[in-house]
Amino acid sequence: MFRAVLLVVMGSIAMLPVTAEAEKRDATATALHALIQREWQYQLEHSPTYASVSGDRRWNDRWDDLSLKAIEADHQHNLQVVAQVKKLDRKKLSAADQLNHDLFLHDHELWVEEHRFKTYLMPSNHMGGLPEGIKQPPGVQTAYQLADTLRFDTIQDYEEWVTRLQRFGTYVDQVMALMREGLREGRVHPQVVLKRMPPQVEKQLVDAPEKSAFHGPFTRFPASIPAAEQQRLTAAGRAAIAQGVLPALKRYHQFLTEEYLPKGTEQVGIWQLPEGEALYALLARRFTTTSLTPDEIHALGLSEVKRIRAEMEAVKAKAGFKGPLEDFFRFLLTDSRFYYRTGDELLTRYRSLSKRIDPLLVKLFKTLPRQPYGVEPTPETMAPDATTGFYYPGATDGSRAGTYLVNLYRPETRPRWEMVPLTLHEAVPGHHLQTSLSAEQTGIPDFRRFGYHVAYGEGWALYCETLGDELGLYEDPYDKFGQLTYDMWRAVRLVVDTGMHVKRWTRQQALDFFMANSPRQELDVTNEIDRYIAWPAQALAYKVGQLKIRELRTRAEKELGPRFDVREFHDVVLLDGSLPLDVLEAKVQGWVAARKAAK
C-alpha cells in the first residue's frame, strides 16, 4: 500500500509514492519514539523524588515505593522493555535514532543485569543512598534535603508536602525491610560505614516539630498565601512531623544501633558479598562505561600516580621549596597562610572565585547555558561527613538554579590551594555547564537530556580542572599544586578502590596509600576512603573519563592542526547529552573527519 507526499518541483506540486520500505522505516522510528517517551514518564512516576527535584511536580505527595513487591514489578517491567526494544528493526532507523535505540537499550539491560546482585538490599549508607541515577531514591537520613530543593508557591505545594510527611513512616519502614532482608542474605556494609549513620539520624531527633529540617517550608510562605491558610498548613505540617516523621526516625535510629550496626562486617570490600567480585566488575563497567577490568584499572592508577608525582616535583621546585615532596605536603597542610579562620571567609572566597571565572569562559566555550548557578554552604547536618564541595543541578522548570555547595565545617582543615580546581570542577565550567547544557538540548530525548553517565560527567569535570592553565588561574604555583593534588586524588582512587574491593586491602592500607601520595587533610582522606567503601567503583569513573576526554582533544589537535578550535571541540563534547565514553569517542572522531574533509 502506498501513501503520498507532496514535493514542490519547479513551482508545481507533484505526488510521489512512498514505498512500503519507507513506511516501515517511519513506523519503526515512531514506535521507538513512543516507547522512549512512555518509558521516561514511567521512570518519573516510579521515581517521584527524582521527578520532584527535577521540577516535575505531578507526584509531589509521594516517596518512592521501595517494597520488595514494587522492586520486583519494576524488574519485570524492565525485562518487557528490553524485549520490546529488541523487536524493533534497528537497521530501519536513522543514525540519530540508532544512537537513541542503543543508549535506551543499554540503560535497561544494565538495570536488568544489576538486579540479580540485589544492590537494592543495601539502600542506605552514610552518604545517603546509592550513587547517582534516576533509580536511586534518597537515603532516610538525607531525605530532609527535599525541603530545601522543592518549589513552594501554592497551597497545593504545601498540602502535598504535608501528605509526603505523613507517608514518610511507610518509606522508612520499607527501607528497614530491605535492610533486614539484606542482613539475612549477608548483604550489609562494613561497620566503619555503618557507625557514621546513627549520629546523622540522631541530629534529626528534635524535641519539637518546628526544629525539624522537614519543617523548613512552613517558615517561608509566599505572601500570596493568606495568613489563615498559612496557619492551617503549618499546624498540619507540625502534626505530620510529630506523628509521622519523628517516630519513623526514632524507629530507624533504634534499628540502626540495635539491629543493623552490630551485623556490619569488620573487614571492608565488596568481595565479601555474595558474588562480590562479579558485582564489582559490573559496577566498574557501569561507572566507567568501558570494558576495563579491575586489574587494568588498578595498573592505570599506579601509572597515573607516578606521572603526577613527577609533575608535583616540578611545581615544588618552582615554588622554591628545597625539601622532599613529603615535607612539602606537610608544609601545605600546616602553614597558617593557606587557611581561613572562619567559614564565612571561606564562603566569600568561593563566591569571588566563581565571579572571577564566569567572564573567562568565553575564551574556551562557544555555547554557555542559560541557567544560572549559586554558591551556598553545605547543610550543617551533613557537613562533617560530606566531601569538600559538590554540585546540585537546577530544576528543569527553572524554579531552582544550580547550586555549588561548599563545606565550611572546620575551615582550619580546608586549604586555599584546593579552591580553584574544586570550583572549576563543581561549578564552572564543570558540572554546571555539563548538566545545564544537556538539559537545554531539546532535540534529544529526555532520558538523554537528564541522564547521567558518571564517567562522562565526572570525567568532564575533572578535565575542567586542567583548564585553569588556559584560563590563567594557576599562575600561583600553590594553586597549580592544588590542581595536581586533585588530579592525584582521582588517580589514587583507582588504586585504593580496586585495592579494597578486589585485592582485599584493609582500610588502613588505603588510608596510608592516599596520605603518602597526596597533601590532603586526614579528615578529607578518611571521608573519601569511607565513601569508596560505601559506593564501590563509583570513584573509578573520574580519572577514566578525564583521560579519555583529554586523549580525544589531543588527538583532534594533532589531526586538525591550525584548524582545531577548542570552542567547537567543547561544543562537540557537551551538546549531545551525557554519553558513554565509546560513543563520545565516535562522535569526536566524526567531527574531526568532517573538519578534515571541509575545504
Side-chain angles (χ1 to χ4, degrees):
M1 187 167 182
F2 293 88
R3 64 184 170 84
V5 293
L6 295 177
L7 178 66
V8 179
V9 181
M10 297 184 65
S12 64
I13 297 178
M15 302 296 289
L16 290 182
V18 175
T19 65
E21 188 64 27
E23 282 192 335
K24 287 181 181 178
R25 285 198 299 271
D26 291 346
T28 302
T30 299
L32 176 65
H33 297 164
L35 178 60
I36 288 174
Q37 181 57 27
R38 185 168 66 247
E39 283 309 302
W40 179 249
Q41 295 305 313
Y42 170 90
Q43 297 300 339
L44 290 175
E45 184 176 1
H46 289 77
S47 304
T49 50
Y50 175 90
S52 294
V53 170
S54 297
D56 190 327
R57 305 157 85 179
R58 287 176 289 173
W59 304 283
N60 269 10
D61 60 346
R62 307 180 197 176
W63 300 93
D64 299 37
D65 187 346
L66 296 186
S67 65
L68 283 168
K69 180 180 178 181
I71 290 170
E72 180 58 29
D74 186 61
H75 175 58
Q76 293 301 321
H77 178 85
N78 289 332
L79 287 169
Q80 293 171 6
V81 172
V82 169
Q84 287 176 285
V85 178
K86 288 185 174 180
K87 285 181 181 178
L88 298 175
D89 189 345
R90 185 182 180 278
K91 295 178 182 178
K92 289 183 167 56
L93 296 170
S94 67
D97 274 335
Q98 285 182 353
L99 178 57
N100 291 330
H101 169 283
D102 295 347
L103 294 175
F104 183 73
L105 179 61
H106 174 268
D107 284 349
H108 285 78
E109 287 184 326
L110 199 56
W111 292 334
V112 167
E113 186 177 2
E114 191 170 333
H115 180 81
R116 80 176 178 92
F117 292 102
K118 299 185 179 181
T119 54
Y120 55 83
L121 295 181
M122 300 169 66
S124 193
N125 53 59
H126 73 286
M127 299 295 294
L130 296 171
E132 299 95 335
I134 190 171
K135 287 184 175 289
Q136 277 69 54
V140 169
Q141 64 268 36
T142 55
Y144 69 89
Q145 294 175 19
L146 270 178
D148 294 323
T149 56
L150 303 187
R151 189 170 78 185
F152 290 90
D153 294 335
T154 67
I155 290 174
Q156 181 179 344
D157 292 336
Y158 284 90
E159 288 179 335
E160 289 176 338
W161 182 244
V162 170
T163 302
R164 208 170 218 165
L165 296 178
Q166 292 169 340
R167 293 173 170 173
F168 185 67
T170 299
Y171 181 72
V172 174
D173 290 341
Q174 288 177 342
V175 170
M176 289 192 296
L178 293 176
M179 295 168 79
R180 284 191 174 102
E181 184 64 25
L183 286 178
R184 283 190 285 271
E185 296 194 13
R187 302 177 191 275
V188 60
H189 289 291
Q191 283 197 5
V192 69
V193 166
L194 302 184
K195 286 177 181 177
R196 289 175 173 262
M197 296 168 64
Q200 293 175 323
V201 182
E202 192 170 0
K203 290 176 184 177
Q204 300 179 54
L205 298 178
V206 294
D207 57 8
E210 58 269 22
K211 295 180 182 179
S212 171
F214 288 92
H215 187 264
F218 303 107
T219 66
R220 49 179 187 271
F221 283 99
S224 58
I225 296 181
E229 286 297 302
Q230 292 185 27
Q231 293 175 2
R232 177 182 70 83
L233 293 166
T234 300
R238 289 180 179 176
I241 294 170
Q243 298 166 17
V245 173
L246 293 179
L249 289 173
K250 289 177 183 177
R251 291 197 302 277
Y252 186 59
H253 184 266
Q254 184 177 6
F255 164 74
L256 288 175
T257 56
E258 298 179 5
E259 190 175 341
Y260 199 66
L261 176 56
K263 300 290 180 62
T265 60
E266 292 186 8
Q267 294 177 294
V268 300
I270 201 174
W271 57 267
Q272 303 172 88
L273 299 184
E275 297 186 275
E277 291 185 6
L279 172 57
Y280 188 79
L282 168 65
L283 293 175
R285 180 159 51 85
R286 170 191 167 191
F287 286 118
T288 68
T289 67
T290 72
S291 58
L292 289 170
T293 67
D295 283 341
E296 289 171 333
I297 293 170
H298 190 84
L300 177 62
L302 291 173
S303 173
E304 280 292 285
V305 167
K306 182 178 180 180
R307 178 187 65 81
I308 297 166
R309 279 189 74 95
E311 290 194 37
M312 285 180 161
E313 290 283 3
V315 176
K316 181 198 72 175
K318 185 177 180 181
F321 193 87
K322 301 299 183 183
L325 195 58
E326 288 70 21
D327 288 352
F328 191 51
F329 286 174
R330 195 173 301 111
F331 164 65
L332 291 171
L333 288 172
T334 58
D335 196 291
S336 61
R337 79 182 78 176
F338 298 121
Y339 296 90
Y340 290 104
R341 292 174 300 170
T342 68
D344 286 341
E345 289 177 319
L346 258 180
L347 183 60
T348 298
R349 170 64 172 156
Y350 276 120
R351 286 175 170 165
S352 66
L353 263 177
S354 296
K355 289 181 180 179
R356 179 185 172 192
I357 295 169
D358 284 341
L360 300 176
L361 296 177
V362 293
K363 295 181 178 180
L364 300 179
F365 294 91
K366 191 175 181 180
T367 306
L368 295 173
R370 296 186 297 273
Q371 187 180 69
Y373 74 99
V375 184
E376 299 293 339
T378 301
E380 291 183 7
T381 51
M382 67 179 297
D385 300 299
T387 52
T388 311
F390 59 94
Y391 176 76
Y392 206 83
T396 57
D397 63 355
S399 61
R400 185 189 70 253
T403 307
Y404 170 30
L405 290 165
V406 294
N407 201 330
L408 308 183
Y409 176 70
R410 292 184 60 192
E412 71 276 9
T413 68
R414 308 196 182 280
R416 300 185 189 190
W417 41 259
E418 72 178 359
M419 298 175 78
V420 174
L422 181 67
T423 302
L424 290 168
H425 181 111
E426 300 293 349
V428 287
H431 286 315
H432 180 66
L433 257 66
Q434 188 268 306
T435 56
S436 298
L437 286 173
S438 180
E440 291 171 11
Q441 303 311 304
T442 57
I444 58 178
D446 286 344
F447 86 95
R448 288 177 56 193
R449 291 173 63 201
F450 307 117
Y452 191 71
H453 292 280
V454 183
Y456 172 91
E458 298 296 351
W460 167 258
L462 183 51
Y463 160 80
C464 286
E465 293 178 20
T466 69
L467 298 181
D469 288 312
E470 294 169 74
L471 294 172
L473 298 172
Y474 292 140
E475 294 173 355
D476 183 324
Y478 296 115
D479 286 336
K480 177 61 182 176
F481 201 88
Q483 182 260 312
L484 292 175
T485 296
Y486 267 47
D487 206 22
M488 177 67 85
W489 171 19
R490 280 40 171 261
V492 165
R493 282 177 170 177
L494 301 184
V495 180
V496 300
D497 199 291
T498 52
M500 290 187 293
H501 292 295
V502 176
K503 298 182 179 298
R504 306 192 180 190
W505 282 20
T506 65
R507 178 173 178 263
Q508 192 59 51
Q509 278 180 281
L511 287 167
D512 290 345
F513 186 87
F514 203 137
M515 294 294 292
N517 288 287
S518 177
R520 293 185 64 80
Q521 291 284 352
E522 189 171 358
L523 172 67
D524 278 344
V525 171
T526 303
N527 285 346
E528 283 296 314
I529 293 298
D530 290 351
R531 168 189 166 182
Y532 310 153
I533 296 169
W535 283 355
Q538 188 268 353
L540 306 179
Y542 298 64
K543 173 56 72 169
V544 172
Q546 177 219 30
L547 290 175
K548 176 56 67 175
I549 293 172
R550 176 54 67 178
E551 172 197 326
L552 295 176
R553 175 172 170 178
T554 301
R555 193 189 308 165
E557 288 172 333
K558 183 177 180 180
E559 291 192 34
L560 293 178
R563 285 186 289 176
F564 176 81
D565 184 333
V566 68
R567 298 168 79 242
E568 287 187 12
F569 171 78
H570 288 153
D571 267 7
V572 172
V573 173
L574 290 174
L575 299 187
D576 214 5
S578 183
L579 298 171
L581 296 181
D582 59 342
V583 175
L584 177 64
E585 182 167 12
K587 189 170 185 282
V588 172
Q589 288 176 334
W591 171 71
V592 169
R595 290 284 292 162
K596 289 172 72 175
K599 299 297 183 182

